[in-house]
Amino acid sequence: MTLFTSNNVLVPIDFSKEAHQALVDTLEFVKDPAKLHVIHVLHSLEPTEPGVVWQTIDDQTRIDKIKAVFYKQFPDEAYQQVKFTVKVGHPSAEIIDYAEHNAIDLIVIPSSGRTGLSRFFLGSVAERVVRFSHCPVLVIRG
């Protein structure tokens, strides 16, 4: 009997070293990259941002750039087989929605380790995912 299922596992990444290590470790655990989902969430663009005003950047451009960065950081063949998705919105809400819509069995998420006032004011994506997720969440302390 295993403690965690490895049929459909989601790893949210923000390209930090903690997220990088969480993804590497999770792929080792899952063994089959086809069972691994990876998500990166971009914050929505504000209409007053210069790139939006001057029409030099849009969500699709940002998504394409993130996908290029992911495949550059993870060139190994195994990472070409994972289900990599980029969403735009609020990180915790997008992670939870993705998990529900894709029948995710386990979310493996690194914690940024914020404490004190910054955690109080900014909150924690990992904390919100733990509170509202429909499936087990494994938080890896960074």
Side-chain angles (χ1 to χ4, degrees):
M1 182 176 137
T2 60
L3 182 60
F4 298 110
T5 181
S6 61
N7 290 334
N8 244 355
V9 180
L10 174 63
V11 180
I13 62 167
D14 60 2
F15 294 99
S16 65
K17 70 176 187 172
E18 294 86 5
H20 185 278
Q21 191 60 49
L23 180 54
V24 170
D25 293 345
T26 304
L27 183 56
E28 268 183 45
F29 168 71
V30 172
K31 296 187 182 33
D32 181 2
K35 295 179 179 180
L36 185 58
H37 297 251
V38 179
I39 187 171
H40 178 79
V41 182
L42 294 165
H43 288 280
S44 299
L45 289 169
E46 296 294 325
T48 57
E49 290 185 50
V52 175
V53 172
W54 297 325
Q55 299 177 350
T56 58
I57 193 159
D58 60 10
D59 286 337
Q60 191 57 52
T61 304
R62 296 167 65 215
I63 289 169
D64 294 343
K65 179 69 174 169
I66 291 298
K67 287 183 178 181
V69 169
F70 176 79
Y71 291 116
K72 184 177 180 182
Q73 272 195 4
F74 299 96
D76 189 59
E77 178 62 33
Y79 295 101
Q80 307 300 314
Q81 298 174 37
V82 303
K83 297 170 185 83
F84 180 61
T85 304
V86 180
K87 297 286 187 178
V88 178
H90 191 274
S92 56
E94 292 296 333
I95 292 165
I96 293 165
D97 288 348
Y98 183 90
E100 287 177 7
H101 290 108
N102 291 279
I104 298 298
D105 300 314
L106 173 67
I107 299 172
V108 177
I109 188 168
S111 171
S112 65
R114 246 191 236 132
T115 59
L117 283 177
S118 65
R119 179 171 174 228
F120 178 76
F121 286 116
L122 298 175
S124 165
V125 172
E127 184 178 349
R128 285 191 292 276
V129 170
V130 167
R131 284 181 189 234
F132 299 109
S133 176
H134 75 286
C135 65
V137 179
L138 174 61
V139 179
I140 299 175
R141 189 158 182 109

